[in-house]
Amino acid sequence: MMIHFILPGDNLENIAEKIRLENPVYLKEFHNQHCLKEDFIVDDLVPGKKLLLPDFTKIKTYNDKNDAPFKSPELNPKIVFNPIGFNEKFKTTIKESSINDAKTIDKSFSYIASLQWIKNELGEHLFHFTKDQFSNRNNTKMESLAIESMKYLYPIEVFVNVKGEILRTALKKQTLNNFNQIKEKLLDFFPDKYAEIYLEEFEYAALNPDIFDQRMKEDWFLKSYFSSFRNPFENGKSFFELYLEKTVLNIQQTAKLTDNKEEILLHQTLKNKEENQDDFTGNLSVSKNNGMIRSLNAVYSYKEFSVSYSTEFSIVNI
């Protein structure tokens, strides 16, 4: 038996964590079985009073019961990936802000993302991905050119593995075969030398499979929707890596309890959050039936030199 003098801010949960007792309810049970009558704990811990702690052998006995709350099936969901027949649209919104010397610059835009399952072949699922209905644009000529250029490339082929993790992206063969005609149409729509320069670069990136794949994997929708968030849970937690803004983030994921029998709610944070480090939070609603995301909201912030950047990304099934 050990003795702990209760400090301000102490609770059963944080004391149990320190002594590696999985279920904090046994702290109160053990103490009340061995303490004097006047030291009996009814509700909250009282700073300054003694708390009797179980020794390592007793802690192991408690842990062997395997009944800690974080071990419940609800907090350790098995997220399937069964996208066969999936064909959905999502309202997608991105809000970006930067703060430099108390000056804030905000911009936001939205679009409709379409995701359609095509087939499963050799252990890979093929999806078609399309963006449309862009809003809140700056309506500059170059922005219009960029959007129109990409529209001619859709739908884009997206290949994912059996866990729902993105493998590669590619243009359809038909798009590649018709690329010269696509470029000619764009030059007709945007007949100036700057558009011609842009389209030369656009052609190089589109027709180079490695460059095209790399750029598409940087798309916020694709890298969020087809991340490794389905990794198995253990003791109420799951871990995976997420690549954002050229940085690999180590994400810790927990499940939330819900009365909805058709969905799984997930909360994501950085595994190790330190002062002045990047920050990330995410909340997902996932279908229990097929493991596909219904809604997602994520906020990522970081600091580069003296400028603070923040991006909020959200998708909602419509």
Side-chain angles (χ1 to χ4, degrees):
M1 183 186 304
M2 299 176 285
I3 298 176
H4 172 76
F5 288 94
I6 300 170
L7 301 173
D10 273 350
N11 56 48
L12 295 176
E13 288 73 19
N14 61 32
I15 295 174
E17 186 175 357
K18 289 178 182 177
I19 65 173
R20 299 184 182 277
L21 175 64
E22 293 179 349
N23 195 339
V25 71
Y26 292 121
L27 272 181
K28 184 186 290 188
E29 177 184 299
F30 180 85
H31 174 86
N32 288 342
Q33 287 176 348
H34 297 84
C35 71
L36 299 175
K37 185 177 181 180
E38 58 268 25
D39 292 329
F40 199 87
I41 296 176
V42 179
D43 296 313
D44 297 331
L45 302 183
V46 178
K49 298 198 72 173
K50 293 179 182 179
L51 178 66
L52 303 180
L53 304 180
D55 59 21
F56 297 116
T57 301
K58 189 64 176 177
I59 289 172
K60 184 180 185 305
T61 301
Y62 285 139
N63 289 346
D64 286 344
K65 294 184 178 184
N66 212 33
D67 61 353
F70 61 75
K71 290 189 173 182
S72 68
E74 293 80 8
L75 296 181
N76 294 274
K78 183 178 180 180
I79 307 175
V80 301
F81 182 63
N82 181 27
I84 296 174
F86 187 81
N87 186 9
E88 299 289 343
K89 295 180 183 292
F90 299 86
K91 173 67 178 293
T92 307
T93 305
I94 299 178
K95 300 177 181 178
E96 300 175 330
S97 66
S98 61
I99 303 175
N100 185 14
D101 295 331
K103 182 180 179 181
T104 302
I105 300 176
D106 294 312
K107 63 178 181 178
S108 65
F109 60 95
S110 62
Y111 56 86
I112 302 299
S114 300
L115 197 60
Q116 180 182 12
W117 179 87
I118 302 300
K119 63 180 179 179
N120 178 12
E121 191 172 74
L122 300 176
E124 295 181 358
H125 292 276
L126 169 62
F127 289 84
H128 280 176
F129 173 63
T130 302
K131 289 183 183 180
D132 200 2
Q133 301 182 39
F134 287 82
S135 63
N136 297 329
R137 295 163 41 194
N138 296 322
N139 290 321
T140 64
K141 193 171 199 178
M142 293 307 295
E143 183 183 58
S144 298
L145 173 58
I147 291 175
E148 289 300 320
S149 299
M150 286 302 298
K151 281 184 178 180
Y152 278 102
L153 301 186
Y154 294 128
I156 289 167
E157 295 184 331
V158 180
F159 296 86
V160 305
N161 63 19
V162 294
K163 292 177 59 179
E165 300 164 329
I166 191 167
L167 297 172
R168 64 188 183 280
T169 63
L171 292 176
K172 294 177 64 179
K173 290 183 179 179
Q174 182 180 358
T175 304
L176 291 170
N177 293 336
N178 296 333
F179 194 87
N180 287 334
Q181 296 93 309
I182 291 173
K183 185 178 176 183
E184 289 175 5
K185 288 181 180 179
L186 289 168
L187 285 171
D188 290 339
F189 289 147
F190 302 92
D192 64 61
K193 63 178 182 179
Y194 298 107
E196 187 175 355
I197 294 172
Y198 173 86
L199 289 173
E200 289 295 329
E201 296 177 354
F202 173 72
E203 179 181 21
Y204 176 76
L207 299 184
N208 186 312
D210 292 335
I211 294 177
F212 181 80
D213 179 51
Q214 179 183 354
R215 292 190 179 181
M216 289 307 303
K217 284 180 178 177
E218 293 174 355
D219 180 90
W220 273 82
F221 185 97
L222 292 179
K223 64 187 174 186
S224 299
Y225 205 94
F226 293 115
S227 68
S228 301
F229 74 91
R230 296 180 186 84
N231 279 350
F233 278 77
E234 184 177 357
N235 294 337
K237 296 179 181 178
S238 173
F239 303 93
F240 67 98
E241 291 183 346
L242 185 61
Y243 183 79
L244 295 179
E245 304 295 349
K246 301 181 181 180
T247 301
V248 177
L249 303 178
N250 292 310
I251 304 298
Q252 172 182 290
Q253 185 170 247
T254 56
K256 298 179 181 179
L257 297 178
T258 175
D259 293 331
N260 191 326
K261 303 302 181 182
E262 296 182 355
E263 67 179 8
I264 299 170
L265 300 181
L266 303 173
H267 178 64
Q268 300 170 343
T269 58
L270 288 178
K271 181 180 179 181
N272 296 305
K273 177 68 175 72
E274 299 176 358
E275 191 175 358
N276 299 322
Q277 190 184 18
D278 297 353
D279 197 10
F280 176 87
T281 58
N283 291 285
L284 289 74
S285 168
V286 180
S287 169
K288 281 187 177 181
N289 181 47
N290 57 21
M292 303 299 284
I293 295 174
R294 292 178 170 180
S295 66
L296 178 153
N297 183 269
V299 179
Y300 173 54
S301 58
Y302 65 98
K303 194 168 185 178
E304 193 170 64
F305 302 108
S306 60
V307 183
S308 297
Y309 298 92
S310 178
T311 299
E312 180 178 355
F313 173 73
S314 66
I315 63 172
V316 179
N317 195 197
I318 57 175

